[in-house]
Amino acid sequence: MPMESSSVAQFDPRKIEIDTARILAHKPEHYAVIDVGSNSMRLVVYDDLCRAPFPRFNEKALVALGDGLNDAGYFTDDTVERALQAIARFKAIANAMGVTRVDVLATEAMRKAKNGKDLVAKIEELTGYSPKLLSGDEEATYAAMGVISGFFQPRGLVGDIGGGSLEIAEVLGDRVGDRKVSMPLGALPVRAMMKEDEREARKRIDAILKESLPPVLTDSTFYAVGGGWRALARIHIAMKDWPIGVVHAYELPMEEVAELAKSISRMTPEEIAQLPDVPSRRVETLSASALVMWRVLRMLRPDRVVFSALGLREGWLYAQLDEKEQYRDPLIEGTLAAGLPDARVPEFPEALARWTEGLFPGEVPNNRRIRLAVCALTDIAWRDHQKVRASDSFLRVLQFPFIGITHPERAFLATAIMARYGGKPAKLDTRATDTLTSNAVRKAEFLGRTLLLGHRFSASVPEILEHAEIIVESNEIRLVIKEGSDVPDSDAVKDRLEKLAKVFDLDASIVSVGT
C-alpha cells in the first residue's frame, strides 16, 4: 500500500468495515453552518450532518467586520447593515434548499467589538438563529477538531489563521490536547501592523508568538488551516504543476513552505495578483498571512507542513456527532456515499471487501481502509463508455474531495480504480503515480485487477462471487471455484486472471473443486 502506518494507527481499536445496509437505509438531511468571521461571512450547506459531509453550496460575503469598527470599538451602522444583509440572504438560501438545521458561529471580530453582543441579538431577531459567540479557546478547539475530522489519526500542532486571530492547538489522534492558544495575529491586524512598519511588525509578531506558542512535542507536523494559508498551497501547487489539485492533505517540507511564505510576505498586492492560481479575494491580505506563516514556522521548526481544507466549521460539525459516528472512518464513509448510490449492485462492494480480505498478508488498519475505499468505488464508471472508463475514473478519483486521505493514497486509489477498468498506469500522465513507490503502483494495479476479475466471474452478483476465492502463493495465483458451484469459468475469466497474474509475474490457474 502507499504508506506504512504509525504504531498509533496500527493499534487503533475502531472497526473499519463496509456497512452497506446502514448506508442505504440512511436518509440524509441538509445541514448548514454560517461562519461570522472577521473578514468574511460564509454559508456552507452540507449534504448531511455526518462523518464525511460533502458541501452542496458555499458562498462567502466580504462583510469585513474586523475593519468595521469605529475609534470607540463599536461596529458602525454600515457594518451592521452589511452583516444583516448577508445573513438574510443566507437564511433565504438555506430555506430554499430545505436545510433542516443552521448553526451560526461568531469569532474574533464579534468578541472584540463592544456592541458584538448587540449584533448577535439582531441576527437572532432577524433569522431566528441563535449565534454562538466562540471564545478564543473554543475557536482553537474547533479548528483542531476540523483537522481531526479530516485526517486519519493526526498528531502535531494545528494553526488556523483567520481575519482577526490565529489559533494554535495540539491534536493527539482523536482528541484535542490541552495546549491551545488564541492570538491577535489574523490577516487584518497583521496587515495594519505591516502598513505602519514592516520590520516592527515582524518584531511584534515574534514577541507574541514567543510568549504564546507551545513547542512541538508530538509528531513534528504543522497542520495549516485557514483561507490565507490554503492560498499559499494553491500557489505552490500551480507553481510546481502538481498533478493533484486538491489542497487538502497537500504536504511539504517546512523549509519549502517557509521560503514561499517569506517571499510572498515581501510582495506588493500587485505582485501577488500575478502569482498563479492566487484567489483574487486574498490579494490584499495574503502578504500578512504569509508573514505569520513564515514567523510561526521559524519559531516552531516542524519537519513538515500539511494543509487542511477542514477547520472551524467542520470541527463544529464533527463535535455535533455522537462518539459512534465520530469513530467512523472519513475516507470509507466518503467513498461509500460517492460509490454506493449509483452502483449496479450496491451490495457488491461489501462482497468484494470480503473477497479481497487475504490479498495482502499482514495488512495494517490504514492499508485496510484504503483497500475498502477502492472496493466502495468499484462501480463508479459503469455507465461510461468503455474506452474512457479507465482514464476518466483515474482523473475523477484523483481530484475528488475525499477526506482522510493523503496525496500518495489518492494516487493509489485512482490507480487501483483505473486498473479495475482495465487501464494501465504507463498509459497516463505518470506524475501522480510518481508519488508512489514502484511496489505500491504494482499493489494498486494488483488490487484493481482482482476487482476486475471478481466482477467478470460473478457478473457483479455477490452470491456468485462467494463460489470462488483467490489464493496467492509465492509463484502462482489460483482462482478456486468451490465445490457445488454451478457457475463455471470462461475464456473471459481466464483472460482477467492471466492479466492479474502478470502484475507480479506469477503463474495463473483455475481450479474447480470436486471436478
Side-chain angles (χ1 to χ4, degrees):
M1 291 288 184
M3 297 176 63
E4 291 301 319
S5 302
S6 69
S7 58
V8 173
Q10 290 184 38
F11 293 101
D12 181 17
R14 77 189 69 211
K15 290 182 67 176
I16 302 174
E17 302 291 346
I18 292 178
D19 187 351
T20 308
R22 175 179 59 83
I23 296 295
L24 297 180
H26 179 67
K27 303 298 181 184
E29 295 184 351
H30 298 346
Y31 168 74
V33 177
I34 297 175
D35 180 1
V36 183
S38 298
N39 193 35
S40 64
M41 295 172 60
R42 186 185 294 271
L43 166 70
V44 182
V45 178
Y46 299 94
D47 63 339
D48 198 14
L49 179 58
C50 63
R51 185 61 183 86
F54 288 103
R56 293 178 63 89
F57 181 81
N58 188 325
E59 182 170 295
K60 178 169 64 175
L62 286 177
V63 176
L65 289 176
D67 282 341
L69 298 172
N70 61 25
D71 293 340
Y74 291 85
F75 288 133
T76 65
D77 291 342
D78 287 345
T79 302
V80 171
E81 181 61 30
R82 289 197 306 272
L84 294 178
Q85 185 176 357
I87 286 284
R89 172 174 166 78
F90 292 165
K91 180 184 179 181
I93 290 172
N95 288 343
M97 295 183 70
V99 176
T100 58
R101 174 179 167 183
V102 179
D103 290 338
V104 182
L105 309 177
T107 55
E108 170 70 11
M110 288 282 214
R111 294 196 298 267
K112 184 178 179 182
K114 292 181 179 178
N115 58 343
K117 292 184 178 179
D118 293 338
L119 179 53
V120 167
K122 288 182 178 180
I123 290 174
E124 185 167 8
E125 181 181 357
L126 175 67
T127 64
Y129 305 150
S130 298
K132 180 173 178 57
L133 183 56
L134 300 178
S135 67
D137 185 85
E138 289 175 320
E139 200 171 340
T141 297
Y142 290 123
M145 282 186 173
V147 169
I148 290 171
S149 76
F151 291 86
F152 184 71
Q153 295 282 287
R155 300 179 69 84
L157 288 181
V158 173
D160 180 10
I161 190 167
S165 61
L166 167 68
E167 280 70 44
I168 302 286
E170 187 176 48
V171 286
L172 303 170
D174 279 323
R175 67 181 181 87
V176 180
D178 295 330
R179 300 184 304 152
K180 49 196 168 184
V181 64
S182 179
M183 296 164 279
L185 293 178
L188 297 179
V190 170
R191 183 180 64 173
M193 292 182 203
M194 294 172 72
K195 286 182 177 179
E196 291 179 7
D197 187 320
E198 188 169 337
R199 183 172 297 181
E200 185 62 28
R202 288 201 299 272
K203 292 181 180 178
R204 290 171 62 185
I205 292 168
D206 287 348
I208 293 171
L209 293 176
K210 185 176 182 180
E211 181 181 351
S212 305
L213 273 186
V216 181
L217 297 179
T218 57
D219 285 4
S220 189
T221 304
F222 184 74
Y223 293 92
V225 178
W229 286 352
R230 285 193 295 271
L232 297 178
R234 285 179 55 172
I235 291 167
H236 193 276
I237 287 171
M239 290 172 63
K240 297 296 183 181
D241 195 24
W242 185 248
I244 303 173
V246 180
V247 166
H248 187 66
Y250 186 54
E251 179 180 327
L252 291 170
M254 181 275 292
E255 292 82 3
E256 202 163 341
V257 181
E259 187 61 33
L260 176 67
K262 178 180 179 181
S263 174
I264 292 177
S265 74
R266 294 173 170 175
M267 291 183 180
T268 65
E270 292 75 20
E271 291 171 329
I272 290 173
Q274 300 304 311
L275 293 171
D277 200 31
V278 62
S280 59
R281 292 184 172 184
R282 300 288 175 189
V283 168
E284 295 296 327
T285 58
L286 189 56
S287 61
S289 297
L291 178 59
V292 176
M293 173 66 86
W294 173 27
R295 307 316 286 181
V296 166
L297 295 182
R298 182 175 177 271
M299 193 159 294
L300 287 178
R301 307 297 300 177
D303 290 336
R304 61 187 185 133
V305 177
V306 179
F307 293 90
S308 174
L310 281 66
L312 174 71
R313 290 182 298 275
E314 293 76 19
W316 170 266
L317 186 157
Y318 177 80
Q320 309 312 303
L321 306 176
D322 61 32
E323 188 177 72
K324 185 176 182 180
E325 185 70 16
Q326 287 181 345
Y327 262 62
R328 300 196 192 283
D329 186 85
L331 175 61
I332 294 177
E333 294 299 299
T335 52
L336 289 175
L340 259 58
D342 292 330
R344 288 169 293 179
V345 182
E347 294 77 15
F348 199 60
E350 187 172 349
L352 283 172
R354 293 191 299 269
W355 201 60
T356 58
E357 190 65 45
L359 201 61
F360 301 108
E363 183 180 56
V364 296
N366 192 46
N367 292 348
R368 174 181 172 80
R369 60 196 288 273
I370 302 298
R371 176 174 59 82
L372 266 57
V374 175
C375 293
L377 297 174
T378 187
D379 226 12
I380 63 168
W382 72 270
R383 287 189 175 92
D384 297 344
H385 191 282
Q386 62 180 2
K387 289 186 177 180
V388 299
R389 285 174 188 163
S391 57
D392 285 5
S393 60
F394 176 87
L395 295 174
R396 181 184 177 194
V397 171
L398 196 65
Q399 310 293 350
F400 201 88
F402 293 123
I403 58 175
I405 187 171
T406 67
H407 277 211
E409 288 165 349
R410 281 181 176 278
F412 184 97
L413 199 66
T415 302
I417 291 297
M418 177 180 61
R420 174 265 177 273
Y421 284 108
K424 295 182 178 180
K427 292 187 176 182
L428 290 178
D429 186 340
T430 60
R431 291 176 303 152
T433 55
D434 285 346
T435 65
L436 303 172
T437 65
S438 58
N439 190 52
V441 173
R442 288 195 299 273
K443 285 184 176 181
E445 191 174 357
F446 192 70
L447 174 57
R449 291 194 179 279
T450 302
L451 302 191
L452 178 60
L453 172 64
H455 276 279
R456 174 53 59 186
F457 173 76
S458 68
S460 305
V461 178
E463 292 76 14
I464 297 179
L465 189 65
E466 293 174 359
H467 293 174
E469 65 177 318
I470 288 285
I471 297 178
V472 183
E473 296 184 342
S474 59
N475 62 349
E476 183 184 36
I477 181 167
R478 295 196 302 274
L479 176 67
V480 178
I481 302 176
K482 299 177 182 178
E483 186 173 4
S485 173
D486 57 358
V487 182
D489 62 65
S490 68
D491 290 340
V493 172
K494 292 176 181 177
D495 176 68
R496 301 302 189 277
L497 179 63
E498 289 171 359
K499 288 181 177 177
L500 170 61
K502 284 182 179 179
V503 176
F504 283 108
D505 295 322
L506 302 173
D507 293 329
S509 64
I510 298 178
V511 178
S512 296
V513 177
T515 60

